[in-house]
DNA sequence: TTAATTTATTATAAATTTATAATATATCAA
DNA sequence: TTGATATATTATAAATTTATAATAAATTAA
């Protein structure tokens, strides 16, 4: 049903939907910050925790969202978990944002 | 008070806040579409209405938000109101998005 | 084994955003 | 002046997002 509805959309509407959905993830300050940090390379959850202003639990949830979207991927090493950017388009976007706004 | 809090933030936190806030505006499909349309040049509310999937009232409200953020500006001509992109950074961002995702 | 550390999960309260309906205002044409 | 058209405003219901607290699970060190 929602699939059918999506298929009815014009290509432009569809693009707007796709891209806006993805931008929603970047529209939260701490999530954006996480992606910026990771654009500089891999980091453990603990390292990210120190550089964002989130509680442990909250950070974990936000990381989950980014992972669910396929933006980041993880690697386990002992009891640490390292995350890194997984989507090249997101990497490009972060770079564009830095170029334009920072 | 909230000002004081903002001043306490590190420059990086501050950037994340600024930019995420602005991305929030682009993270709504029809708002993003409006900006994309306007990146192709001026358009009247009525023209925008025909190319988005919003009610008249809803469109007006969304346009208001974009205007309040300084993303777009208006010009009145008779009973029509024309809007156009007002922020060069937003224009650049829309172009980047199109390049990366479309 | 026990305790400490690192990360995830679940439930939920609080805040914000989105959408709808009703109404208002301004401009023009007849 | 009246009616039609274009746009804005206000109130508010509904949906979504964000944040907090409590708890769980996995790993390592002692």
């Amino acid at each position: 049903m929602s699939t059918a509805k999506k298929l009815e959309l014009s290509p432009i509407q569809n693009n707007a939907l796709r891209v806006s959905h993805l931008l929603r993830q970047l529209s939260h300050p701490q999530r954006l910050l996480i992606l910026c940090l990771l654009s500089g390379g891999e980091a453990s959850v603990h390292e990210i925790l120190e550089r964002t202003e989130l509680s442990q639990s909250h950070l974990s949830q936000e990381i989950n969202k980014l992972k669910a979207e396929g933006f980041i991927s993880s690697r386990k090493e002992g009891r640490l978990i390292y995350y890194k950017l997984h989507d090249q388009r997101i990497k490009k976007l972060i770079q564009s944002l830095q170029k334009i706004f920072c």
Side-chain angles (χ1 to χ4, degrees), chain A:
Chain A
M1 211 155 193
S2 91
T3 321
K5 210 163 193 176
K6 192 167 186 182
L7 290 177
E8 285 168 24
L9 291 179
S10 72
I12 284 186
Q13 281 288 339
N14 224 306
N15 280 341
L17 211 59
R18 268 194 319 121
V19 177
S20 65
H21 176 83
L22 164 166
L23 289 173
R24 173 64 49 112
Q25 290 300 119
L26 308 209
S27 78
H28 179 279
Q30 304 304 311
R31 270 197 313 263
L32 180 59
L33 189 51
I34 293 170
L35 293 173
C36 286
L37 295 182
L38 294 184
S39 79
E42 223 183 29
S44 71
V45 174
H46 204 75
E47 288 165 348
I48 300 172
L49 187 57
E50 284 172 342
R51 306 178 65 184
T52 55
E53 298 196 332
L54 293 171
S55 67
Q56 185 274 315
S57 165
H58 193 183
L59 173 59
S60 188
Q61 290 175 73
E62 297 303 349
I63 281 180
N64 226 326
K65 291 178 195 167
L66 295 174
K67 198 176 177 186
E69 293 293 330
F71 290 3
I72 63 179
S73 61
S74 64
R75 170 174 79 78
K76 198 169 182 180
E77 189 176 320
R79 54 181 151 177
L80 301 183
I81 297 184
Y82 291 90
Y83 283 92
K84 66 174 180 185
L85 283 191
H86 183 66
D87 184 327
Q88 274 311 108
R89 298 168 314 163
I90 297 301
K91 192 167 198 170
K92 278 191 192 172
L93 178 50
I94 295 288
Q95 287 166 353
S96 293
L97 289 173
Q98 287 172 338
K99 209 176 287 178
I100 299 174
F101 297 103
C102 300

